[in-house]
Amino acid sequence: MSSIDLKVFNELKDATGADFIGELVQAFLEDAPAQIAQMQSALGGHDAESFRRAAHTLKSNAATFGATDLSGLARELEMLGRENNLAVGNRLQVLEEAFDQVKNQLNELIR
């Protein structure tokens, strides 16, 4: 199962150039764990607005690379934050697992 929509990824690669796509991917792979950590911290501090902002950023960035499942999970969490509902259950863990799959696939694509 592919974590990345290759059509979206290849369109981005064509638009940015093969050299620059690697830099974009690396920036995303460095930023996404920070967004996830922010979400965890916001969850612990009952800060729905920080949680929502981090989820929104992750959603948008994931969508840029065609990581549709990861983007969808982040969108779901963003909506919970918007509703001031931080009863997210195991969704953050599911999001982290989805990110790991995306990370592995993106690393393969930029080799």
Side-chain angles (χ1 to χ4, degrees):
M1 183 182 91
S2 180
S3 302
I4 302 293
D5 180 331
L6 293 177
K7 183 178 184 295
V8 173
F9 180 83
N10 287 324
E11 286 174 359
L12 178 67
K13 186 176 177 180
D14 290 345
T16 62
D19 295 337
F20 192 54
I21 191 75
E23 291 179 38
L24 289 174
V25 166
Q26 288 308 317
F28 170 67
L29 295 181
E30 290 170 14
D31 184 59
Q35 298 301 330
I36 293 169
Q38 174 62 40
M39 291 167 72
Q40 290 168 329
S41 173
L43 203 56
H46 305 290
D47 184 348
E49 180 56 23
S50 290
F51 183 87
R52 183 202 63 76
R53 278 197 313 269
H56 174 81
T57 300
L58 185 59
K59 172 195 75 173
S60 301
N61 292 348
T64 299
F65 293 98
T68 51
D69 289 348
L70 179 61
S71 181
L73 289 165
R75 180 176 52 248
E76 190 180 320
L77 291 168
E78 178 189 12
M79 291 301 154
L80 288 172
R82 181 171 288 144
E83 295 163 3
N84 207 24
N85 175 3
L86 294 179
V88 299
N90 71 337
R91 287 186 186 98
L92 211 45
Q93 182 181 348
V94 171
L95 180 89
E96 286 184 81
E97 291 165 4
F99 171 71
D100 286 339
Q101 290 177 347
V102 165
K103 177 173 70 174
N104 292 337
Q105 193 171 3
L106 284 174
N107 280 323
E108 289 293 319
L109 287 169
I110 63 170
R111 278 193 191 169

